[in-house]
Amino acid sequence: MAVETSRRAFLAVAGLLGLAACGSDTGRGGSAKGTIQQWYHAYGEDGVQDAVRRYAAQYPGAEVEVQWNPGDYDSKIVTALQNSGVPDVFEAQVKVDWVRQNRVVPLDDLLGDARGDFVQTLLESQTVDGRLYGIPQSIDTQVLFYRPSLLAKAGLTPPATVDELLEAAERLNADGVRGLFAGNDGGVAVLTGPLLWSAGLDFLDADGTGPGFDDPRAATVFGKLRDLHTGGGLLLGSPTDWSDPGAFVEGRVAMQWTGLWNLPKITEAHGDDVGVVAFPALDGSGTASVPVGAYSAMVNARSADVEAAKAFVKWLWVDKTDHQAEFATKFGTHLPARASLAGATEGTVKQVARFVVDSGRIASPARWPDRANTALSDAVSRIAREGAEPAGELRAAVGTARSEIARLGK
Amino acid sequence: MTRRSALAFWLFVGPFAVGLLLFTVVPIGWSAYLSFFDARNTVTPSEFVGLANYIDTLTDRAFLDSLGTFTVFAALVVPTTVLLSLGLALLVDKVRVARAFVRSVFFLPFACSYVVASLVWKMSLFSGLDSGVANTVLGWFGGDPQAWIGTVDPPLYWVVLTTARLWLQLGFFMILFLAALQRIPRHLYEAAAVDGATPGWQTFRHVTLPGLRGALVAVVALNLINAYQAFDEFYNILGDARGYPPFARPPLVYLYYTSLGSGGQDLGRGSAGAVVLALVIALATLLSGRLFRRRA
């Protein structure tokens, strides 16, 4: 009898536990009703996390909970958007698929008079079919950092063409210092865009309906990347990647392609001995360029309260210009997304701001599909790293890109 | 009584059966279902596409390359693991002092996380800097520093991937062999000695090796399955925030990027790839099973 009772009791307890487990599985992560969940990727610069938590705490309209996401943030967001109402507000770059599947809501009505104040190419990069889906938070850009003293010693001037860049990488390669660092994949990921632009090409063609690199010049320019790889001046296998200033700061390379955001650490290490140039042109029919990208604030269409989420985005990323200015300029170096906030820049930052205005190109257009991007970067990798024949590799990438872009146009 | 034992049966088996159903059977079925749909960024697709995902997968060069990568990896890692772990087991078996200590020393790496080992291999042992451990050793012999992970021609990254895998798993397979060695009856060795077998190769070939047959089959099978499941060290050594290079991409890494990567999650194509892989593995298992049966 005693055994019987305890078995019943066990069953009852187990049943209750099971019910309780089901009950908490609401997908809202147990947050209080009315709380806005906001996600950021983990910014590498000190102080950003404190700042965004402070902004959220100051919002008078609702309780805002900030989640900081280290690791593969982009994949995490894609997964979250599939079936979840969390996060309500997040930073990302607009994808056409999200718009087609109604995962995100248009935000045109939040801008009001401020629309003209935002950098127009940035707004365009977050616009699909004439509607805006993300409010740019700040501008990120990448430039070529170099050590003027080392260039002078080698009798070189800052590279103004791709060939000069190749020559500089080789000649600066001396005394244990390598010529150039552009990531451990040798620039495949970060230089593909700048190389296309340097030859007067682009990811997409002028009207955005097909690939923009179906051209023999693409083979030529990626052949240059192969030359860079075989030239011996490239640093590969660094413990840190292109987005970290480590290799340049520690003096292991004379030139590094990296983000402007690293400027404070670089200046701290090398003082005045720092120069910047945009990625040079291949020849007269291409242009120098810097890639421009921006995480934008977006609103999840499945949010429990879309209007409250939009109101918060408007408050933080449209109305609170003091927060926006601090966010863009105080931690690492970014450029503000709005013309009215850009006035105070000087020195190297001013120079780079000039590059962005003159030759900024959208690093990842919303209409450029990920699968097309994978096909292109695989092709570039095989050309540059394995010495594959450029024309054939690019033909395959053009084919994939064409069908993927056509699919998005549906 | 029968009712009560039936109740007991379901009480004990029920939770596991439910778990199995919910987390294994349903996902497998769902994945098969998804493989016939255009399931980009969704698990509840509506657009039926028939066999398009399968055709897409089987004509995708990256997928076929991934099968090649798995084959190369298995060819590198399975024979070396079998030989080295057997060698280690024979040596440790001969040790007379501090045996437990020696055994633990070789077994210890197995307790290390693949991710941690991958990062140590990538950032310290095989970093491309002149000060990296591998490059320092190379320097003693007058070699030029190499970018181990970044070098495709010759494919030095295989050195990094294979040594990491060997270091991590040798100890485990050594223990399996050690257990099998100690189960070979001593009197067989005595009988062999009486019959005039010389210690060393002859004894090893005709007494030890036949005694290890069962362990050998198990080690090879486990090793092949492990090689097929390779993901951690590939992803952590070769991948970065921007993606994964087109070489040395094993099947699971390929499927991960297709169906879960930041590049527009294509669950339909990913599921089709998973089904194809499952069929390939099932076929290989059936074939090897038949092969062993015929021999036995």
Side-chain angles (χ1 to χ4, degrees):
Chain A
M1 191 61 205
V3 174
E4 194 65 10
T5 317
S6 65
R7 198 183 280 164
R8 289 234 172 97
F10 168 75
L11 272 176
V13 171
L16 283 176
L17 283 174
L19 282 180
C22 292
S24 69
D25 186 22
T26 59
R28 291 286 308 179
S31 66
K33 195 170 161 31
T35 302
I36 295 172
Q37 303 273 345
Q38 186 187 20
W39 282 13
Y40 291 92
H41 85 288
Y43 285 81
E45 300 89 345
D46 297 334
V48 183
Q49 190 177 1
D50 291 340
V52 297
R53 286 189 195 282
R54 176 158 43 84
Y55 305 157
Q58 284 173 11
Y59 181 54
E63 191 85 14
V64 181
E65 222 169 81
V66 169
Q67 183 174 320
W68 198 249
N69 294 284
D72 191 354
Y73 173 74
D74 291 333
S75 299
K76 193 169 176 181
I77 272 294
V78 174
T79 310
L81 283 184
Q82 281 184 15
N83 294 298
S84 166
V86 176
D88 302 283
V89 176
F90 60 95
E91 58 173 13
Q93 305 205 40
V94 175
K95 290 176 191 291
V96 176
D97 272 331
W98 293 351
V99 175
R100 296 272 185 271
Q101 296 167 349
N102 299 319
R103 300 277 153 88
V104 288
V105 298
L107 304 173
D108 297 273
D109 51 329
L110 303 188
L111 285 183
D113 298 339
R115 181 176 273 276
D117 191 24
F118 279 88
V119 175
Q120 292 306 303
T121 44
L122 277 187
L123 286 185
E124 282 160 24
S125 77
Q126 306 302 316
T127 300
V128 177
D129 301 337
R131 309 188 77 176
L132 179 73
Y133 289 90
I135 311 283
Q137 297 177 167
S138 65
I139 302 177
D140 272 332
T141 188
Q142 299 153 27
V143 290
L144 182 69
F145 285 90
Y146 63 89
R147 301 271 300 278
S149 64
L150 295 177
L151 263 68
K153 210 164 78 184
L156 293 162
T157 51
T161 65
V162 172
D163 283 325
E164 283 181 29
L165 177 66
L166 261 60
E167 189 198 344
E170 247 171 87
R171 289 192 29 207
L172 289 168
N173 194 29
D175 310 326
V177 177
R178 297 286 161 83
L180 171 68
F181 183 55
N184 286 321
D185 61 359
V188 169
V190 282
L191 295 185
T192 296
L195 283 164
L196 282 173
W197 302 321
S198 83
L201 307 169
D202 206 339
F203 295 107
L204 295 163
D205 60 12
D207 54 3
T209 55
F213 51 94
D214 188 3
D215 188 305
R217 288 168 60 79
T220 311
V221 78
F222 292 123
K224 296 287 180 192
L225 189 59
R226 172 64 181 169
D227 296 343
L228 187 61
H229 275 249
T230 50
L234 213 50
L235 173 68
L236 294 168
S238 165
T240 52
D241 214 346
W242 69 273
S243 59
D244 186 288
F248 191 72
V249 161
E250 286 158 29
R252 292 200 293 268
V253 284
M255 302 185 285
Q256 181 178 341
W257 180 264
T258 186
L260 176 66
W261 57 85
N262 290 319
L263 184 64
K265 284 180 188 163
I266 288 174
T267 315
E268 195 186 318
H270 298 308
D272 286 340
D273 191 17
V274 175
V276 289
V277 280
F279 193 85
L282 177 68
D283 52 30
S285 40
T287 53
S289 64
V290 290
V292 172
Y295 265 131
S296 301
M298 300 171 68
V299 171
N300 185 348
R302 283 197 176 83
S303 163
D305 191 343
V306 169
E307 288 312 313
K310 281 173 72 173
F312 171 63
V313 169
K314 178 173 178 347
W315 175 80
L316 181 55
W317 297 114
V318 181
D319 297 342
K320 294 294 280 183
T321 46
D322 50 338
H323 287 347
Q324 292 156 33
E326 185 195 46
F327 178 81
T329 54
K330 200 171 165 206
F331 319 101
T333 311
H334 306 262
L335 299 169
R338 307 173 65 159
S340 63
L341 303 179
T345 57
E346 55 184 13
T348 306
V349 180
K350 194 168 187 177
Q351 204 182 341
V352 176
R354 195 75 250 151
F355 294 159
V356 169
V357 173
D358 292 345
S359 50
R361 308 291 291 260
I362 297 300
S364 54
R367 300 193 58 89
W368 172 240
D370 291 298
R371 209 176 150 194
N373 198 49
T374 307
L376 177 60
S377 79
D378 281 5
V380 173
S381 176
R382 291 198 188 99
I383 294 166
R385 304 179 74 176
E386 299 174 53
E389 192 256 323
E393 289 291 336
L394 286 166
R395 208 174 310 121
V398 164
T400 306
R402 197 178 296 287
S403 65
E404 282 296 300
I405 296 165
R407 183 182 68 79
L408 285 186
K410 269 194 276 184
Chain B
M1 192 61 211
T2 35
R3 262 198 64 191
R4 186 172 287 185
S5 62
L7 182 74
F9 174 79
W10 285 114
L11 186 61
F12 284 109
V13 175
F16 299 101
V18 168
L20 193 72
L21 198 72
L22 215 60
F23 298 111
T24 307
V25 179
V26 170
I28 288 176
W30 202 304
S31 167
Y33 166 80
L34 286 179
S35 69
F36 296 105
F37 285 84
D38 178 1
R40 282 185 173 84
N41 304 312
T42 178
V43 289
T44 50
S46 52
E47 198 185 324
F48 184 78
V49 294
L51 291 176
N53 285 324
Y54 286 91
I55 296 167
D56 226 18
T57 301
L58 289 172
T59 52
D60 188 354
R61 175 176 167 190
F63 179 72
L64 301 175
D65 280 356
S66 80
L67 295 180
T69 297
F70 155 64
T71 312
V72 172
F73 185 57
L76 286 172
V77 98
V78 176
T80 40
T81 304
V82 171
L83 288 178
L84 292 176
S85 56
L86 180 57
L88 271 182
L90 290 171
L91 288 178
V92 171
D93 195 40
K94 289 278 177 288
V95 171
R96 289 284 162 257
V97 284
R99 207 156 149 181
F101 171 77
V102 174
R103 214 164 41 203
S104 313
V105 163
F106 286 115
F107 186 69
L108 218 53
F110 183 68
C112 178
S113 139
Y114 270 59
V115 176
V116 172
S118 301
L119 293 180
V120 171
W121 249 249
K122 174 184 185 162
M123 296 162 97
S124 158
L125 294 186
F126 287 99
S127 91
L129 302 180
D130 300 357
S131 57
V133 174
N135 280 337
T136 307
V137 173
L138 214 57
W140 293 341
F141 300 101
D144 289 329
Q146 299 289 331
W148 293 91
I149 295 157
T151 307
V152 177
D153 185 24
L156 292 177
Y157 54 85
W158 280 123
V159 177
V160 186
L161 293 166
T162 322
T163 50
R165 172 58 70 113
L166 285 178
W167 183 76
L168 280 162
Q169 69 176 14
L170 274 186
F172 175 73
F173 291 112
M174 177 201 75
I175 293 287
L176 290 191
F177 277 127
L178 211 52
L181 275 177
Q182 286 163 4
R183 280 188 49 194
I184 299 175
R186 292 294 122 192
H187 64 253
L188 287 183
Y189 288 98
E190 287 157 15
V194 169
D195 286 348
T198 51
W201 174 249
Q202 216 170 22
T203 312
F204 174 76
R205 169 71 186 79
H206 294 287
V207 180
T208 312
L209 213 50
L212 289 178
R213 191 185 149 84
L216 263 173
V217 172
V219 167
V220 170
L222 280 176
N223 243 303
L224 266 177
I225 293 170
N226 278 356
Y228 156 68
Q229 291 178 334
F231 180 86
D232 306 40
E233 71 266 54
F234 282 84
Y235 182 77
N236 286 294
I237 290 178
L238 289 171
D240 59 46
R242 287 296 190 97
Y244 196 91
F247 51 84
R249 199 186 275 170
L252 290 196
V253 172
Y254 167 83
L255 288 179
Y256 170 78
Y257 277 104
T258 305
S259 43
L260 297 172
S262 56
Q265 308 193 332
D266 192 344
L267 297 168
R269 219 156 50 85
S271 299
V275 170
V276 171
L277 267 183
L279 290 179
V280 168
I281 295 300
L283 207 68
T285 316
L286 279 177
L287 278 179
S288 71
R290 182 153 292 186
L291 214 67
F292 275 117
R293 208 179 309 145
R294 199 166 289 168
R295 283 231 191 115

